[in-house]
Every structure is written in structure tokens, then in C-alpha cells.
Amino acid sequence: MNLSKIAVEEHMAPAGTLDQAADRFEPEAWRKLSNALMDIHGQLLSDMDASDVEMSVLSLNSPGIQSITDRKKAVEVAKRSNDVLAEQVAKNPKRFQAFAAVPMQDPEAASRELVRCVKELGFRGVLVNGFSQIDTEDSAVYYDRPQFWDFWATVESLDVPFYLHPREVLPSQMTFLEDHPWLGNSTWAFTVDTATHALMLMSSGIFDKYPKLNVILGHLGETLPFLMWRVDNRLRKTPKGCPAKRPLNDYFQNNFYLTTSGQFCTQSLLNSIAWIGTDRVLFSVDYPFEKVSDATNWFDNLKATNTISEADWVKLARGNAEKLLKLGAAKQTAASV
Ligand code: MN
């Protein structure tokens, strides 16, 4: 068996976080998804074997910690979830690694938890599910604010990537969804919110202060490869006090990585590669919301049809992930345990 690929946006859900996403699905669909979220060593592993995926990097299902309004509880649930994630990885570290979940409701605690996860549990980075609700349900706090800058310093000093993953938006944020519920969640609202959040980070000056920060976006960059030219073109004409020192695309092309999670579209991939280069695109599935075989059939076909070169395909399939997530080191650690 030639296990050729590494997937980095694959989700699981320990008890205590599982029912958060139930509202997004019909009951029968949710029953299957919630079983799949718990069945890492069964369903996910057999799907990986069948589709030549060597490793999945696991993360907590969205919204995970970010919708817990109580700060103390957010800190506790993050710790518990990371311990469960670590247990899952320890059962089969050659096939599974993990991203930490962190309580951004308390930035100092988030920094401490990230240090613990990276240094003690061997996690490969951190995945945060969009903005955090803090103290009240109707609050959406984004991470360009000053209280998070020490957290960004921690991420940079640990030299691990920060995966900005979508979450459901609040009704007050997108009032059009009231009349158009079919445009909510992963169909469209996730993308609008996550792309906006990424632009907030780029325009904040965070990357001027912490130039080695690496941020990962799923879904081939949440539309941004298509739009960065226009964003900078308009921003140059109407800067309105934007604090960033450089055009935002400079940060996009130097501090961001994109994954193919849930976006198995050749035209979009080619546009993303044209914009950001083959060193910054990583294969992913988005288990269990997408079928592993849907992702891999599409992705393997890119090589078979010479749509992208063999060398580039290998970078996307695994090389870029191995480098960014230092997976060689992870395998050595796994071997020595
Ligand atoms: Mn996902």
C-alpha cells in the first residue's frame, strides 16, 4: 500500500462538545456525522487506508471551544478536549497527529494551553474555530484586538501554525440569513466570516510585529486568492487608517497556507496555486463533512491527468504539510515512545 497523502483538516468531537453542530443538520444526517466524529480509529482510519491517506491531523469539531461564553468553562473544556485528542493520537501516532484547541476567551490561558499542547503533548499547531463568544451569547470577538497580541507572540515563538477554521455566525451578524437560511453555515456564511477575519488579521499589523507567524486557511483560502488584488487595489485608494505597513497581499503570500478541505474544484485549485504558489497549498478532506474518497479521487486525478506536475502534486499531497507541521519530528517522537 502506498500511503501517499497527509490530510490536515480532519475533525473529531470528544464528549462535551459533540452536540454543538447538531442544529446545522437534519437529525438522521447528524446521527451519522456524530458517530463518524467519534469513530477515528474505525471509520476514518479505514477510509484513509482505502484512499491512500497516511496521516490525518485531527482537530476539534467547530465551533468547539469558541462558543463557550463562560471563560472558566472554556479553559476547562479546552484542556479536557486536548487530553482526549492526545489519547487518540497516542493510540496510533503514525496515522494521527493533532492541532490544539485553545480558549481564546482568556488569551493568557490560551497561550499557556498552547505551550502545554506543543511542548508536553507534541501537538503540531493550533486550530481555532473563528471568533469567540465571551461572557454573552451575542458577542463575537476577533483576534486582531490588542488583548490577543501576546498570544500571537506565543504562536510565533513556538513556531507552529495557527489554523483559522470557520464556525457558525451569530444571527445578529448576518441578518440576511433570517430570510435565506440556505446561505448559512458552510454553504456561504462560514466563508464570509472567515475571509473577513483573515483580512482583519492581515490589516492589523500583527504580521509586521510577528513576521514569522503562519496562518492556515481551509477551503482553498475562503475566496481570498480570487480577491486579494481587488482588496489591495481599493485599500490603496481608500486606506481609512489601515494599520498594516504593507499591502495585505504581502502577508497573504508570505504568512498564509491554504488547504483543499471541502473544495475539490480544479479551477479553484489552479487559481490558488497561481496566486500563492505550490509551496503553500496542502491537501485536506474535512472529515466527516466530506467523504475521504471524494477528496482523494479528485486529488489523485490531478496527478493522473498531468493537471499539475508530479513534483508539485507531492508537495501538496504531503511535502508542504511535513515541513510546516514538522511531521518528521512527530514520527521520530512516535517511534521513540
Ligand atoms: Mn472543517
Side-chain angles (χ1 to χ4, degrees):
M1 191 161 42
N2 172 30
L3 296 172
S4 54
K5 296 175 286 292
I6 294 171
V8 304
E9 196 198 294
E10 318 313 322
H11 305 301
M12 64 158 295
T17 63
L18 190 62
D19 288 331
Q20 293 168 317
D23 293 349
R24 305 207 313 253
F25 302 94
E26 299 295 328
E28 178 55 21
W30 176 242
R31 193 188 60 75
K32 281 190 186 151
L33 285 170
S34 57
N35 287 340
L37 281 162
M38 300 295 286
D39 196 17
I40 299 308
H41 300 282
Q43 187 182 325
L44 177 54
L45 190 62
S46 70
D47 288 355
M48 288 161 62
D49 285 342
S51 295
D52 297 337
V53 176
E54 178 180 351
M55 180 186 283
S56 286
V57 183
L58 302 171
S59 51
L60 200 52
N61 188 41
S62 181
I65 309 305
Q66 274 62 61
S67 66
I68 303 171
T69 53
D70 182 295
R71 294 172 198 236
K72 255 181 122 178
K73 195 177 163 205
V75 174
E76 287 163 15
V77 177
K79 253 193 188 136
R80 225 182 317 133
S81 304
N82 289 325
D83 288 340
V84 174
L85 272 169
E87 282 166 25
Q88 299 298 321
V89 169
K91 284 184 188 170
N92 196 352
K94 287 187 178 157
R95 306 300 298 277
F96 296 109
Q97 290 288 317
F99 285 122
V102 291
M104 298 298 275
Q105 290 85 342
D106 179 341
E108 270 182 45
S111 289
R112 281 197 301 275
E113 182 61 6
L114 182 56
V115 170
R116 181 181 86 95
C117 286
V118 172
K119 296 207 161 162
E120 292 174 28
L121 304 180
F123 284 16
R124 312 322 300 168
V126 50
L127 183 144
V128 170
N129 290 302
F131 62 84
S132 284
Q133 286 160 279
I134 306 183
D135 296 333
T136 59
E137 288 288 335
D138 196 21
S139 68
V141 180
Y142 292 82
Y143 310 132
D144 58 325
R145 305 240 185 121
Q147 65 265 37
F148 297 106
W149 284 44
D150 286 347
F151 171 82
W152 291 116
T154 303
V155 178
E156 188 194 46
S157 71
L158 289 169
D159 192 22
V160 293
F162 175 98
Y163 203 129
L164 182 64
H165 185 278
R167 58 162 294 169
E168 90 290 3
V169 299
L170 305 176
S172 58
Q173 288 178 299
M174 289 194 192
T175 48
F176 68 83
L177 292 175
E178 204 176 307
D179 299 326
H180 307 80
W182 50 88
L183 296 180
N185 297 321
S186 48
T187 303
W188 180 240
F190 278 23
T191 287
V192 176
D193 186 65
T194 311
T196 306
H197 200 165
L199 290 170
M200 287 176 184
L201 298 180
M202 287 179 228
S203 57
S204 68
I206 284 170
F207 297 103
D208 296 317
K209 186 145 188 210
Y210 308 114
K212 290 185 180 148
L213 262 186
N214 288 317
V215 175
I216 307 175
L217 295 174
H219 317 112
L220 286 175
E222 313 287 2
T223 71
L224 292 175
F226 192 81
L227 290 170
M228 288 310 297
W229 185 92
R230 174 163 165 78
V231 168
D232 277 330
N233 181 48
R234 295 314 309 168
L235 192 56
R236 197 167 48 244
K237 289 164 185 166
T238 53
K240 298 197 177 180
C242 173
K245 291 197 176 129
R246 296 190 278 147
L248 303 195
N249 189 52
D250 278 17
Y251 310 115
F252 188 63
Q253 289 183 336
N254 290 294
N255 299 90
F256 280 73
Y257 289 80
L258 317 179
T259 81
T260 66
S261 64
Q263 230 323 20
F264 315 136
C265 170
T266 303
Q267 289 88 338
S268 300
L269 176 72
L270 294 178
N271 177 61
S272 298
I273 289 174
W275 193 256
I276 204 166
T278 50
D279 291 336
R280 292 183 172 271
V281 181
L282 286 65
F283 171 72
S284 288
V285 177
D286 203 357
Y287 174 89
F289 303 99
E290 302 294 343
K291 271 175 79 174
V292 177
S293 58
D294 285 349
T296 57
N297 288 342
W298 166 73
F299 188 72
D300 291 349
N301 196 46
L302 297 167
K303 182 170 67 171
T305 54
N306 280 323
T307 305
I308 55 178
S309 73
E310 166 105 30
D312 283 343
W313 188 89
V314 172
K315 279 192 207 171
L316 270 58
R318 59 182 304 125
N320 294 338
E322 283 174 326
K323 217 171 178 182
L324 179 63
L325 275 60
K326 303 189 190 90
L327 292 172
K331 280 186 215 157
Q332 274 169 21
T333 313
S336 67
V337 169

